[in-house]
Amino acid sequence: MSESGSNNMEGKIAIIGMDCRLPGAGNVGEYWENLINGVETLSTFTDEELVSSGVAPGVFRQPNYIRNRGIIGGAEFFDAEFFGFTPRDAELLDP
């Protein structure tokens, strides 16, 4: 309430819902369950998977190479144009 006692809500917003898509979780509920249960949601890639995706063995055999990555299902449905991204920008961002 303001000092005058009126309840001016002009220009105010309220968040009444939330949604997300994260590695291993298609929504907030699944994400929360993963957190509660300590579920690892990063994917770990084998030598074969890395080679088939174009990573040279000399690269992934380095001790500091990280074989894990968060994968979000359905990324091919990302609407780059809606968010103002060019197809190339979207590819680089890897949504």
Side-chain angles (χ1 to χ4, degrees):
M1 284 192 154
S2 69
E3 291 180 31
S4 67
S6 69
N7 190 2
N8 183 357
M9 298 302 289
E10 184 177 333
K12 306 294 182 194
I13 63 168
I15 297 173
I16 57 171
M18 188 167 96
D19 200 11
C20 65
R21 292 180 57 228
L22 300 162
N27 58 54
V28 175
E30 290 174 11
Y31 175 66
W32 185 248
E33 287 299 317
N34 287 343
L35 287 175
I36 290 171
N37 296 314
V39 175
E40 175 60 71
T41 59
L42 295 178
S43 298
T44 302
F45 301 99
T46 66
D47 290 355
E48 294 79 21
E49 289 170 322
L50 292 169
V51 167
S52 71
S53 69
V55 181
V59 172
F60 65 74
R61 289 195 178 117
Q62 296 294 317
N64 61 344
Y65 187 83
I66 299 172
R67 296 173 170 261
N68 304 75
R69 181 175 179 193
I71 304 292
I72 298 175
E76 67 273 15
F77 300 114
F78 177 69
D79 188 351
E81 186 177 334
F82 177 81
F83 291 100
F85 293 117
T86 66
R88 177 69 178 141
D89 288 341
E91 183 181 341
L92 291 172
L93 290 170
D94 193 19

